[in-house]
Amino acid sequence: MGNSRLDVDVVRSSSARTTLQRAQTDTDDQVDAAAPLGTLVGTFSVFGSWYRIDSYWEGDFLERTAPGAFKRTINNRSDQTPVRVLLEHGFDPTVGDKPLGVPSVLEERDTGVYAETPLLDTSYCRDLAPALAAGAYGQSFRFTVLKDVWVEPDAAGFDNTVDEKLRHLPQRTLLEVAISEFGPTVWPASSATNADTGLRSATDGYYEQLKRRDPSAYDQAIRSVRPTLAPPRDETAAAPPESEDPQRVHTPGPVASQARSDHPDVPPATHSKAQATPNTPDSTKESTTMTLPTMEERASRITEIDARLTEINSENAGAELRFDHKTEWDNLVTERADHKTAIEAQEQRNAVLANFAARPGALEPAVDEQRTGDPQRANLGDGTPARTPSGQRSARGSGEDIYDLTALRSASRSMDDYVARMRDNAYRALDAARFHGVNREDAQKQVRHILDTVDDEQGSVARRVLVTGSPTYERAFGKALVSGSTLGLSSEEARALSLGANTDGGYAVPFQLDPTVILTSDGVDDPIRSLARVEQITGKQWQGVTSAGVTVSRSAEAAEVEDNSPEFQQPTCDTSRVTGFIPFSVELDLAWPSLRAEITSLLADAKATEEASAFVIGTGVGTQPQGVLTGATSVVRSASATALAVADLTKTKNATGSRFRRNGTWLATTEFYDAVRDLSTVDDGVWAELAGDINPRLLGRPTAESSGMPDFSLAANAKAALFGDFSKFLIVDRVGMAIELVPHVLGANGRPTGQRGIVTWWFNGSKVLVPNAFRVLQMAAA
């Protein structure tokens, strides 16, 4: 279906702000009596620059306005054909279609159409004046296209200077338009959408409002763009044949306008000349037929709608939808329901026919649910229920898609209900998930813990599980990872993968492979995570409360109690981005099924390697986390700079407060523990429980070996070991890991190395919450 001119009004929204000027008189400081509230000033159309139109009603194309396009309608306006100035095209619930003023200046200038409109001195204008003066409103205008020129891609006259991504779109130049009204709008176009002009189509929102306010006018507009549903026309209304010239000039007349096929009220229509039979009296007349979408086309369209609805929900972050998004959302939901109804009806017909084919004698009529009023009695012709009592599809249908966020949103009564439904489906997705390279039960337990205790009010974790946990997403992720590109993905896979894309240009790792979600083996390579307090969050900063503890006292009967109130601190811990790179050879014949378990191990290993050092000796400056050794500021010096003694160990342990000492653990390198073992030949009481697989205890407290600790040496000022209560050391993980594909790794000279790679990033941080809970054993100064 090509784009063509609509014989109804269309609307453009401009990011250019409406300004309110308050004029002064020449003689004094009093405001101009002719415009006491001020004058609206602005240019609401721009000449010569391309902007994209992507509209259900109009189509998808590039548009620009030629200088002179407005001249005729401006010059010919009169009291009978005024150009009105309205707020929100007259649909504002408070102001309605009351005029804001009468344009005193309306003219074409070099850059576009310029207007000056003195505000009427009315109560509603007075209410609007402060917001208009503050620049809170953009501009929008409504017009009818009288003459335009279309140029198809690669045809003569096509402008190839536009962005390369937009060169597949037809280009339309407006030569003459008739403007009906213009005025302020609170939801203008985003200037980032069409950077040159800040213009976009607002036609869809206009007609959605018209549908609510004036259904008859809306129906008339529908008939104008859907001529096949209107009464038959005579031969004078037939559309003239298209010109062979790729630059087609459309002029006024009874041209059959075609709207985009995905509008809920404007189904796709193909207009063809039917060959009349010789004995047909009206054989000279032209007949019009309509072709409805196939089931495959409807299913494909539903997938597109689902992707767009998910994008809208993400852009609004769970908040109330903006006006333009609300209109688009309602249109899409309505259209989706229509397609779903058609598909389900076809599935039921197919099931009935299949049953008849299998059982020729079983020709029992299907029970009509609407006629009986009992959904449980509705059947497929053989007594088998077509739907379950809950209204969900039974096993005979295509099945419920637990990953379908759009269906969840449509079925939800509120945002809270939507989040609850997402979490329910996330649990179901968790039960169905396959985990590679980790214990399944441990991984499921970890994800359930995150859903129960970490997920936020918007259901961010539940949504991540559903978006990245679908088989389609994992399949698309694997294909892109192996090939280093998203080329070659099916349309369904590309849409699924786009849901996991983020603003940094990466793709979310499927939750079944994501170490920030399923990391259950923390502390295997390095013990710091198994010792520390680990919190997971969905935002950027952890906020907590700590206290040195509550003290109590005894007092006499009826005596005033002492003030034993504790002092609270409110520590925070920011997360910062950690980036890793994993290259692999192009020559490797890798397949995603064989790579799944490997990628889980690779990501987990890369994460553990970085954390082993960062969580111990991180400086806490800039993007660095604060390591436990850095945050532990209390130091105990050894007696000698060149020798270690049992007394040094005892002094370090006893210097720690009793409240922390009873939960204390030693952290050091294997070289330190070897040096302590040498001391045990002098004093066998230093070590305990050395036999078998029992973890050794140093002076009665557990020990842990860390590769992140500084190398042990008998040298002045060397940090030998750390002792303390590690529950007072916090590690914060932000749930979610993302990757970016690198199709070709370049060497030092900028030439490919024959490798592909993935750049992976995640967010975490660490901080010592109670420095007094730790003591650092440091060798004496020289």
Side-chain angles (χ1 to χ4, degrees), residues 147-162:
K147 184 182 295 186
D148 57 2
V149 173
W150 291 82
V151 182
E152 302 295 336
D154 300 324
F158 188 83
D159 185 358
N160 284 307
T161 64
V162 299

Side-chain angles (χ1 to χ4, degrees), residues 542-558:
W542 174 87
Q543 296 177 332
V545 177
T546 63
S547 170
V550 177
T551 59
V552 297
S553 61
R554 298 179 183 271
S555 60
E557 186 176 351

Side-chain angles (χ1 to χ4, degrees), residues 233-235 274 276 282-287:
R233 302 183 182 187
D234 59 23
E235 58 270 33
D282 295 328
S283 61
T284 60
K285 293 186 178 182
E286 185 179 80
S287 65

Side-chain angles (χ1 to χ4, degrees), residues 3 89 215 222 244 288 296 305 308 350 525 630 639 683 760 776:
N3 299 285
H89 304 288
I222 288 293
E244 296 297 327
T288 305
E296 291 76 13
I305 292 174
R308 177 54 185 155
N350 292 342
D525 297 321
T630 305
D683 186 346
T760 179
V776 179

